[in-house]
Amino acid sequence: MPTLTTYQTKIIPDWVDYNGHLRDAFYLLIFSYATDALMDRLGMDSNNREASGNSLFTLELHLNYLHEVKLDADVEVHTQIIGHDRKRLHLYHSLHLVGGDKELAGNEQMLLHVDLTGPRSAPFSEETLSKLQAIVAEQADLPAPAFIGRVIALPPEK
């Protein structure tokens, strides 16, 4: 399985800035919807959240703007599971034109499974872990994305 396509949308006028490009905030909105779709695939949809009292919270994310995205573009998000443990999920979303390979933006996220009554961290259910492991196995041959593990910093002065 290649990366999983988790979300598709058309870029609408309200999302475009004065330069005719997708506004910064809407890249994250698109990636957020992709995370929601992944949660649904893992059995963590709204019904499950209500029944289990658990959800995913974003601990950290990095967003890389790589190429312009313009009004009316049809885009899709590809999602790759980088890793997980009992409570955390490390993933990477990449934004593409529908059917295209060129990465327009990248979004690395670290998510935490949370018991909402605390809120406090909680282990994934066995069902969710099984679904995560199946996706990881299907994506085993994918290379690591180029934009994971990056640090924001200025280069040292010479």
Side-chain angles (χ1 to χ4, degrees), residues 86-149:
R86 291 179 44 246
K87 297 180 181 182
R88 292 173 297 186
L89 174 58
H90 183 194
L91 63 84
Y92 187 80
H93 294 305
S94 56
L95 185 68
H96 304 262
L97 294 177
V98 170
D101 290 329
K102 182 178 182 180
E103 187 174 356
L104 305 173
N107 175 229
E108 179 180 13
Q109 297 185 14
M110 183 65 72
L111 307 172
L112 179 67
H113 190 246
V114 172
D115 176 344
L116 298 171
T117 62
R120 62 184 175 278
S121 66
F124 288 112
S125 70
E126 289 302 318
E127 181 182 345
T128 299
L129 279 174
S130 177
K131 289 177 181 181
L132 274 171
Q133 290 163 348
I135 294 171
V136 169
E138 291 171 348
Q139 295 181 338
D141 293 336
L142 290 176
F147 294 96
I148 61 169

Side-chain angles (χ1 to χ4, degrees), residues 18-73:
Y18 47 86
N19 290 318
H21 304 137
L22 183 61
R23 288 183 175 276
D24 296 353
F26 292 101
Y27 283 88
L28 188 53
L29 177 72
I30 291 168
F31 289 132
S32 182
Y33 286 144
T35 300
D36 290 348
L38 177 65
M39 288 175 66
D40 290 351
R41 184 177 179 100
L42 294 172
M44 299 177 69
D45 57 20
S46 59
N47 291 335
N48 177 278
R49 283 188 294 278
E50 191 171 309
S52 70
N54 295 324
S55 189
L56 286 177
F57 286 11
T58 305
L59 294 176
E60 182 174 354
L61 64 83
H62 294 197
L63 186 53
N64 289 282
Y65 306 97
L66 306 172
H67 298 283
E68 298 173 343
V69 178
K70 297 191 177 199
L71 179 64
D72 292 330

Side-chain angles (χ1 to χ4, degrees), residues 8-20:
Q8 291 185 355
T9 192
K10 180 183 273 306
I11 304 305
I12 61 174
D14 286 348
W15 294 359
V16 175
D17 67 13
Y18 47 86
N19 290 318

